[in-house]
Amino acid sequence: MTEEHVILRIPDALREQFDREIEEKGYPDCEFDFNDLKNITFRYKGTRYRVSAIPLPCILEAQKSFDGNQFYKINDVANMLVVWPKSYTEVEINHYTKIYAASGITPPLKFVKHRRWRERAQSLSAVEEIEKKVKELLERDRLATSIRIQTVNTDNEEEDVSSLAAELEHNLIDEYLVDQKRFEETTLESEVVMELKGQIEEIQKKIREKKEFLKSATNIIVQRRFEEAIKKLSAELDEVRAKLSKQSAH
């Protein structure tokens, strides 16, 4: 039997009671039902919650200590179980699942996969300009006939370096926030589009079924009922298609 460790993330509403049970009894009164990795149920205090198994960006180590000074590695942690609040819809669950899957477990590692593998814009003209400046400096150094040493104020230099570092950090933060916002908006839009396409397929399937029943129906009243149902479904289909077109236009 193989022992596996995971990180459990539960809703804020359950956290206080959950922690209190662990402190008092050493374990919480909860159960998991694992049908497969996509169908996991968390039961706590008679309530069932939906759970998603999300792989972490990298493998973590689970460690144990007997005295608080020396720590021993006991296992690897590669997955996180997220217990979703009862109020979350399917769209919200899919949205936050993608965010968790692209992030680590600490704030600096939010969207770490997205930031690590993102496409970076490279300006060819900027690279050529830098190469030109470097060659020019090297040529000046080669042709120099004398060397002059100039003393500078180190305090001012440190201030300049600090200002430059602060400016670079500010630019990096701005760039990260822009990328994060763009990633969230793109993810949410794609989920909405997928949901609308799913609704269209479901409505089209219902229309086909109603038409098949209409062909085999011999009673006029039953035929009219099927015709009315088909009209309603067609109107609903047009409405969903309009939403999809509007969403795609954005």
Side-chain angles (χ1 to χ4, degrees):
M1 182 177 180
T2 304
E3 179 181 348
E4 295 185 6
H5 288 196
V6 297
I7 294 175
L8 178 62
R9 176 168 287 182
I10 61 176
D12 294 336
L14 304 178
R15 190 168 300 168
E16 184 177 350
Q17 189 174 4
F18 211 79
D19 292 341
R20 186 167 58 251
E21 287 190 6
I22 294 176
E23 185 177 351
E24 293 175 355
K25 300 190 299 183
Y27 59 91
D29 185 16
C30 64
E31 293 182 358
F32 285 93
D33 293 332
F34 288 88
N35 298 322
D36 52 58
L37 288 179
K38 293 184 178 180
N39 296 305
I40 306 174
T41 304
F42 174 75
R43 289 186 292 177
Y44 183 67
K45 300 294 184 182
T47 306
R48 300 168 69 90
Y49 299 86
R50 184 175 172 181
V51 180
S52 295
I54 300 175
L56 296 172
C58 62
I59 296 176
L60 307 179
E61 289 186 358
Q63 298 184 346
K64 189 173 184 178
S65 175
F66 295 99
D67 55 6
N69 295 321
Q70 291 184 329
F71 291 85
Y72 304 89
K73 177 183 175 181
I74 56 176
N75 214 323
D76 290 326
V77 181
N79 293 282
M80 176 172 63
L81 297 180
V82 180
V83 181
W84 302 108
K86 299 288 289 184
S87 59
Y88 272 27
T89 63
E90 187 72 22
V91 174
E92 289 177 316
I93 290 176
N94 292 334
H95 173 64
Y96 286 108
T97 297
K98 291 182 179 180
I99 293 178
Y100 287 145
S103 307
I105 62 172
T106 58
L109 294 180
K110 190 171 184 180
F111 297 110
V112 63
K113 284 186 178 180
H114 172 65
R115 289 186 284 117
R116 174 62 180 85
W117 304 110
R118 67 180 174 180
E119 295 183 0
R120 299 180 182 271
Q122 294 183 353
S123 174
L124 184 60
S125 59
V127 174
E128 292 176 349
E129 184 68 23
I130 293 172
E131 290 180 351
K132 182 179 178 181
K133 291 287 185 182
V134 172
K135 289 180 180 179
E136 183 181 344
L137 291 173
L138 291 174
E139 184 65 18
R140 287 183 180 180
D141 184 65
R142 188 179 68 83
L143 298 176
T145 57
S146 62
I147 299 175
R148 184 180 64 180
I149 299 176
Q150 182 180 1
T151 305
V152 296
N153 190 337
T154 56
D155 294 335
N156 294 335
E157 184 179 0
E158 289 178 358
E159 290 178 0
D160 294 339
V161 172
S162 300
S163 301
L164 178 60
E167 183 179 356
L168 290 173
E169 183 179 2
H170 179 71
N171 293 336
L172 287 173
I173 292 174
D174 289 343
E175 184 180 357
Y176 164 69
L177 293 176
V178 170
D179 289 340
Q180 176 180 345
K181 183 178 180 181
R182 186 184 299 114
F183 176 77
E184 290 181 347
E185 291 176 351
T186 304
T187 304
L188 186 57
E189 287 178 3
S190 61
E191 290 171 0
V192 173
V193 170
M194 290 178 62
E195 184 181 9
L196 291 174
K197 288 182 178 179
Q199 291 179 7
I200 290 175
E201 292 179 359
E202 186 177 354
I203 295 173
Q204 289 175 338
K205 181 180 178 182
K206 290 181 180 179
I207 291 176
R208 288 194 297 268
E209 292 176 353
K210 297 294 183 183
K211 287 182 177 179
E212 291 295 329
F213 288 135
L214 179 60
K215 290 180 181 179
S216 60
T218 56
N219 191 303
I220 297 177
I221 298 177
V222 176
Q223 289 178 354
R224 288 179 179 175
R225 288 181 179 176
F226 281 126
E227 289 173 353
E228 291 177 359
I230 292 172
K231 287 181 180 179
K232 289 182 180 179
L233 289 172
S234 299
E236 185 179 351
L237 180 61
D238 293 337
E239 184 179 350
V240 176
R241 281 176 173 170
K243 290 181 180 179
L244 179 60
S245 300
K246 185 177 180 181
Q247 188 69 31
S248 300
H250 292 307

